[in-house]
Amino acid sequence: MTHQPAPRHVLRCDRPATRFADAFLLGDGRLGVTVSGGVGTETFDLNADTLWSGGPLEPRTEGGAAHVLPALREAVAAGDHHRADELALQLHADGYTESYQPVGRLSWAFDPSAGAAEDYARDLDLATAVAATRYRRGSTDHALEAFVAPDPSVLVATTVWDGGALPAVEFTSPHPLGLHRTEETAGGTLVLAAGRVPATVIPNYVPDDDPVRYADDVPDADGTVARGGGFAVAALVHGEGGTARLTATVVTGFRGWNARPSADLEALAAQAREQVLAAAGVPTADLRERTTAEHRRWFDRVDLEVTAAPGHEADVAVAQQVFDLGRYLLVASSRPGTQAANLQGIWNTDVRPGWSSNYTTNINVTMNYWAAESTGVAELHTPLFDLARDLAEAGQETARLDYGARGAIVHHNTDVWRFSRAVQGRPFWSNWPSALPWLAAHTYDHVDFGSAADGFVRDVALPVHRAAAAAALDFLVEDHDGNLLPSPSTSPENQFLLPDGSSAAVTAGATMDRELTREVFTHYLDLLARAGEDEDELAREVRAALPRLAGPAVVDGVLQEWGPGLESAEPGHRHVSHLYGVFPGTSTTRRRTPDLLAASRRSLEARLSHGGGHTGWSRSWVVGLSARFGDGAAAQEHLRVLVEDLMSDSLLDLHPHSDWPGNAIFQIDGNFGVVAGIAETLLQGHDGGLDLLPALPPAWTSGSVRGLRARGGHTVDLSWSDGALAGGRVVAGRDGELAVRAQGADVTVTTAEGELVAKGDGELTWTATVGTEYVLETSVA
């Protein structure tokens, strides 16, 4: 780490970033900008959330591999797992998802002087969404500030200007440019550039002699192409009083996941030009104020401030920054109307990024949004709902042709074009067909947290659940005891050992698939009831199947990842998918299923004892699991390991990878996942009540948190002292019984007007009224 002391909410590093993972990230959900903090020349790497290689998928009306299913299921039932794996290969598509693309780099030579830089610092203010670089050369102070202003979605950067020649900006792109020119306008110099992204990009993990392929076709009369859409960049350098200002934007030819993209470069360039010139007419101060106001409307909804135990001051200060950074990044990468945050949010500098920087649905894209509801930014969750709703449509073809199933099926990779098939590869990662139930769970959480607007259940949550539940029903087979199990089934990216020492992946009833099936069935019935809809034939099938679903397997007091007798081929595997019911799910809890929770904890301990949690996102997941186990000390330790071993200088989450600088690649999911884990140490809202400080890290001796939200729509503020609850406030999200558990503290609950409603030291229960504020006081206070 290269952090210097800084004001609260400010990340500060004492040297420029030398790799992408150490940079600061700016964005408004659409335009992503990576800022390196350079001396003399600042570089801004540009991204746009809709710029992907490829194009809309050609519809399939026949073919598919549904005919393979009977033999595959027969092989599974007979225990011939090698045969099952071989047959599963026939379910694979011909190719892969497409890749999220960089736009290019702006280089702005804002300081032509020479000499060493002294007193260097670069900052990212998480509360205002402004990045700054400051240093001294000789007797001259130099400074540059940058931010991304929403609506009209532009990068704005400023530096001191002496009134002479304006600092020059250059644009370079890894893609061929069909248009690149400079013009003098609006009191400055405007750079315009436009080009096309590749028609296809083979993933970085697939050896290929020609992995990046561009199309050379001429756009149709309407300017559209089948693959390889266009983009345009406009960058204007102009003077504003005593400052030089760079204003830049990106537009893309994306027109929807099932529409041909535009490659009309002149039209795209004209759009970018118009957008930049309009923004250039707005004073910097106004744009900065607009940017910060828009950012703070979400960022300020939650605030965490902690006083550390002696000797833990540095660890706790960084933990607070990690919490704030993850929330900042969600605001910057996911807003209503944008695409969902991908594997790197909206930031990427590689044409062949790690794992295509796509939507990896077996953990990563869902982890991106774990904290959206609990930290009060439910609106930022909506891009994921858009993705789920689109996939509930796009995945119908895959369900019908590849599985002979109703509903929709989505596998472990998707992209802006809503790819849903199993990609080419090995079954232990390609053949996971359970993405849609997991995405459906997020739509249910949105309802359960009281965040859903009118029509959401009918228009989003129910259609996604209906598609997922219908497919899940058609996956069920009977085991030898008459229980129902999903088949074929895999546990994400892991394999089990066979008696001969070999490994395989395809079986029936991997624990995660059992859990997701039960959850999507239960949620579907609940959503129908909430919507006041009568149960249809599908609902009757679901209700009949529910009691017959096989539960998770426990052997010798340890939760199994698959059925009994199947041991992990990699005991320290990074995924802990079989613990889904503990977290982010809520089916395995201390009150309702204590024995299963204990078995789950032993399973996690075994995984960690063999080296599990060795990626940033995986360790973030363990923080959340530890919180659900009620183990604040473990949560604190895993958070420490995450920060010290698996984060960059700028606290970005890292995944070990020998092909990237520093032997690690940035993945944003760990930054998001740890926010959810920290929130879970402070408040949990399942099991019919609110658990206050259920897993408080022991080094967090005193502190406060404001604005956390729980199921039921309740908003909670808490303070604590000497490790115990000191007070709090609950604003009820709905009418009815409200239970609060205060970990043994003696609590008095009153209305804001002082009316006593409950008192005690265990579980306090009272009849709440929606919108009413209830004040919690303890003897500690």
Side-chain angles (χ1 to χ4, degrees):
M1 290 293 176
T2 58
H3 298 97
Q4 298 177 352
R8 187 162 176 248
H9 293 140
V10 173
L11 295 185
R12 177 166 293 166
C13 293
D14 62 5
R15 62 187 179 192
T18 56
R19 58 173 180 165
F20 170 48
D22 292 326
F24 289 147
L25 307 179
L26 302 172
D28 68 344
R30 291 181 174 82
L31 176 63
V33 178
T34 304
V35 186
S36 297
V39 173
T41 298
E42 181 58 276
T43 57
F44 302 102
D45 290 302
L46 305 179
N47 289 102
D49 68 322
T50 54
L51 194 67
W52 293 67
S53 60
L57 301 171
E58 292 292 330
R60 294 188 295 153
T61 57
E62 57 185 19
H67 63 279
V68 175
L69 265 293
L72 194 160
R73 286 174 172 144
E74 184 178 321
V76 168
D80 189 351
H81 296 290
H82 284 314
R83 175 63 176 157
D85 277 13
E86 291 173 3
L87 290 167
L89 295 174
Q90 297 184 44
L91 297 172
H92 293 179
D94 294 334
Y96 311 88
T97 63
E98 290 298 339
S99 296
Y100 184 57
Q101 289 298 293
V103 174
R105 171 174 289 183
L106 289 172
S107 299
W108 197 28
F110 68 96
D111 166 25
S113 61
E118 300 177 339
D119 297 328
Y120 176 93
R122 61 183 174 102
D123 294 347
L124 177 60
D125 191 322
L126 304 176
T128 65
V130 176
T133 302
R134 298 178 179 85
Y135 60 89
R136 177 182 297 110
R137 271 178 167 164
S139 60
T140 304
D141 292 327
H142 297 273
L144 181 143
E145 285 194 343
F147 56 90
V148 170
D151 189 24
S153 195
V154 292
L155 163 68
V156 178
T158 60
T159 190
V160 175
W161 177 47
D162 62 7
L166 287 164
V169 67
E170 295 181 354
F171 174 73
T172 56
S173 177
H175 309 299
L177 296 176
L179 180 160
H180 196 180
R181 60 177 180 258
T182 300
E183 58 183 76
E184 300 302 318
T185 184
T189 302
L190 177 70
V191 174
L192 276 178
R196 289 176 64 179
V197 292
T200 193
V201 173
I202 304 300
N204 69 293
Y205 52 84
V206 178
D208 193 281
D209 292 336
D210 186 24
V212 180
R213 305 163 194 170
Y214 291 89
D216 57 5
D217 55 326
V218 176
D220 285 352
D222 63 355
T224 65
V225 292
R227 303 177 66 83
F231 66 91
V233 174
L236 174 68
V237 178
H238 54 118
E240 186 182 65
T243 65
R245 173 172 146 185
L246 168 66
T247 308
T249 197
V250 177
V251 299
T252 79
F254 182 76
R255 300 168 59 246
W257 66 273
N258 52 5
R260 288 162 59 96
S262 172
D264 186 335
L265 302 190
E266 287 289 350
L268 294 174
Q271 182 182 344
R273 182 181 188 277
E274 179 181 359
Q275 193 163 306
V276 157
L277 292 180
V282 181
T284 300
D286 291 352
L287 288 174
R288 196 181 194 278
E289 182 179 358
R290 181 190 306 171
T291 299
T292 296
E294 180 79 354
H295 176 75
R296 296 196 81 140
R297 88 179 253 224
W298 289 299
F299 184 81
D300 286 354
R301 291 184 186 174
V302 167
D303 187 60
L304 172 65
E305 189 165 12
V306 181
T307 300
H312 291 274
E313 291 85 356
D315 289 348
V316 170
V318 174
Q320 282 190 149
Q321 288 185 318
V322 167
F323 182 75
D324 289 334
L325 175 62
R327 297 187 305 112
Y328 164 89
L329 290 171
L330 186 57
V331 177
S333 64
S334 183
R335 297 187 187 179
T338 71
Q339 296 297 311
N342 63 49
L343 203 59
Q344 295 183 173
I346 53 170
W347 301 278
N348 166 45
T349 59
D350 298 305
V351 175
R352 294 183 79 193
W355 305 284
S356 302
S357 192
N358 63 18
Y359 300 116
T360 306
T361 58
N362 64 20
I363 178 62
N364 312 99
V365 71
T366 45
M367 181 180 279
N368 285 0
Y369 290 90
W370 281 357
E373 300 294 333
S374 60
T375 60
V377 288
E379 304 97 313
L380 306 185
H381 213 165
T382 56
L384 188 72
F385 306 149
D386 295 339
L387 176 64
R389 184 175 52 192
D390 292 347
L391 288 170
E393 177 183 346
Q396 292 176 26
E397 181 183 86
T398 296
R400 184 180 72 256
L401 295 179
D402 291 338
Y403 293 91
R406 295 169 291 174
I409 290 173
V410 181
H411 292 82
H412 93 295
N413 274 177
T414 189
D415 56 20
V416 78
W417 311 112
R418 303 335 192 205
F419 188 98
S420 63
R421 300 184 67 188
V423 300
Q424 286 283 310
R426 298 181 63 188
F428 69 93
W429 49 271
S430 287
N431 289 82
W432 183 72
S434 302
L436 197 58
W438 199 342
L439 290 167
H442 279 256
T443 71
Y444 181 83
D445 285 349
H446 192 61
V447 176
D448 207 27
F449 273 78
S451 306
D454 290 344
F456 180 83
V457 172
R458 180 189 65 251
D459 298 335
V460 181
L462 269 175
V464 174
H465 277 79
R466 187 175 287 116
L473 278 168
D474 289 347
F475 261 67
L476 294 176
V477 300
E478 285 192 358
D479 67 8
H480 61 277
D481 294 321
N483 296 318
L484 297 178
L485 293 169
S487 179
S489 175
T490 61
S491 191
E493 304 190 29
N494 204 359
Q495 300 182 86
F496 47 81
L497 288 173
L498 297 175
D500 64 359
S502 62
S503 58
V506 181
T507 183
T511 297
M512 186 185 207
D513 284 349
R514 301 186 195 201
E515 180 64 31
L516 287 171
T517 301
R518 184 179 303 276
E519 183 180 75
V520 77
F521 284 178
T522 304
H523 288 174
Y524 178 56
L525 295 177
D526 184 62
L527 288 168
L528 283 172
R530 291 181 189 237
E533 293 191 13
D534 294 333
E535 291 192 0
D536 55 12
E537 179 58 33
L538 178 67
R540 288 188 284 274
E541 288 186 58
V542 165
R543 189 172 293 282
L546 257 174
R548 298 183 59 200
L549 294 178
V554 177
V555 177
D556 296 330
V558 179
L559 178 71
Q560 303 298 291
E561 188 163 357
W562 301 272
L566 297 179
E567 299 292 335
S568 176
E570 187 181 342
H573 197 270
R574 60 196 175 276
H575 284 258
V576 285
S577 308
H578 55 305
L579 303 182
Y580 175 92
V582 178
F583 182 75
T586 59
S587 67
T588 305
T589 69
R590 281 173 279 173
R591 288 176 179 80
R592 285 186 288 110
T593 57
D595 291 342
L596 185 56
L597 187 74
S600 300
R601 186 168 186 170
R602 294 185 195 102
S603 185
L604 177 62
E605 290 169 350
R607 182 65 51 95
L608 293 173
S609 72
H610 287 89
H614 54 271
T615 71
W617 63 262
S618 182
R619 188 66 64 161
S620 290
W621 197 348
V622 176
V623 173
L625 288 165
S626 299
R628 287 286 175 90
F629 291 135
D631 192 340
Q636 175 180 304
E637 173 60 15
H638 293 303
L639 180 56
R640 182 196 64 79
V641 172
L642 173 67
V643 170
E644 292 186 2
D645 298 344
L646 296 165
M647 283 187 163
S648 71
D649 284 358
S650 55
L651 296 181
L652 296 181
D653 171 75
L654 298 176
H655 188 297
H657 199 301
S658 60
D659 291 340
W660 260 261
N663 295 314
I665 185 171
F666 165 48
Q667 281 191 204
I668 204 167
D669 39 19
N671 285 107
F672 293 140
V674 72
V675 175
I678 290 172
E680 291 286 333
T681 69
L682 304 173
L683 175 69
Q684 294 176 24
H686 48 273
D687 274 355
L690 304 178
D691 284 281
L692 312 183
L693 306 180
L696 184 69
W700 296 18
T701 53
S702 301
S704 64
V705 65
R706 171 182 53 79
L708 293 180
R709 297 188 75 251
R711 295 177 187 276
H714 311 299
T715 302
V716 179
D717 302 343
L718 299 171
S719 62
W720 62 94
S721 180
D722 295 327
L725 182 70
R729 183 186 76 117
V730 177
V731 177
R734 64 186 177 195
D735 294 331
E737 184 175 276
L738 177 59
V740 169
R741 307 169 189 121
Q743 316 306 318
D746 187 9
V747 178
T748 299
V749 183
T750 63
T751 65
E753 293 75 26
E755 178 187 353
L756 178 67
V757 296
K759 183 176 174 61
D761 60 0
E763 181 174 308
L764 291 79
T765 304
W766 68 94
T767 301
T769 302
V770 64
T772 299
E773 177 181 330
Y774 298 96
V775 179
L776 283 60
E777 297 180 337
T778 72
S779 56
V780 175

